[in-house]
Amino acid sequence: QVQLVESGGGLVQAGDSLRLSCAASGGTFRSYTMGWFRQAPGKEREFVSSISYTGGGVSYADSMKGRFTISRDNAKSTVYLQMNSLKPEDTAVYYCAARQRATIGRYDYWGQGTQVTVST
């Protein structure tokens, strides 16, 4: 069983930056595609970004392109989300997720989330 623990959230002002971390344990981190999702109050959870198990393939939701950067350190079993130029609409709980190679269309494991609040 894989455990994912997010950290790095907080309260910031518009235009500030934050780096979220997600530490994984209990599995073979280097074999998982990792993703970040977020859920704002009253809204459905949405995709933010993902990174392949090699780190060579990344994707972003359109509204995050150019502002967010995903990366991973397989030696530390950690995935990061660098968020720059934050906007109030980025306020949400951010979740880390892991997908095994054989899984298609969903993520197998989820963290508990970390709150990001961006004030005007």
Side-chain angles (χ1 to χ4, degrees):
Q1 186 73 11
V2 175
Q3 291 82 44
L4 303 174
V5 179
E6 303 96 333
S7 61
L11 172 63
V12 296
Q13 293 186 328
D16 286 350
S17 298
L18 274 178
R19 188 175 82 154
L20 305 183
S21 300
C22 172
S25 62
T28 308
F29 179 79
R30 62 181 179 274
S31 67
Y32 299 135
T33 292
M34 300 300 296
W36 285 98
F37 293 77
R38 71 184 186 185
Q39 187 167 21
K43 296 187 177 180
E44 294 190 352
R45 185 171 60 195
E46 66 173 341
F47 170 78
V48 174
S49 181
S50 66
I51 185 166
S52 66
Y53 61 94
T54 64
V58 298
S59 64
Y60 299 94
D62 287 343
S63 61
M64 290 75 165
K65 287 180 180 177
R67 298 192 300 124
F68 291 8
T69 303
I70 192 170
S71 62
R72 67 189 296 160
D73 185 338
N74 286 346
K76 295 182 178 180
S77 297
T78 301
V79 62
Y80 305 97
L81 185 68
Q82 176 68 42
M83 306 186 294
N84 299 328
S85 302
L86 284 162
K87 306 174 182 180
E89 52 264 42
D90 294 319
T91 295
V93 177
Y94 284 71
Y95 298 91
C96 169
R99 183 173 70 220
Q100 300 178 90
R101 290 190 195 181
T103 301
I104 299 174
R106 62 177 175 83
Y107 281 77
D108 298 288
Y109 307 104
W110 293 84
Q112 83 289 349
T114 185
Q115 176 71 48
V116 172
T117 303
V118 184
S119 65
T120 56

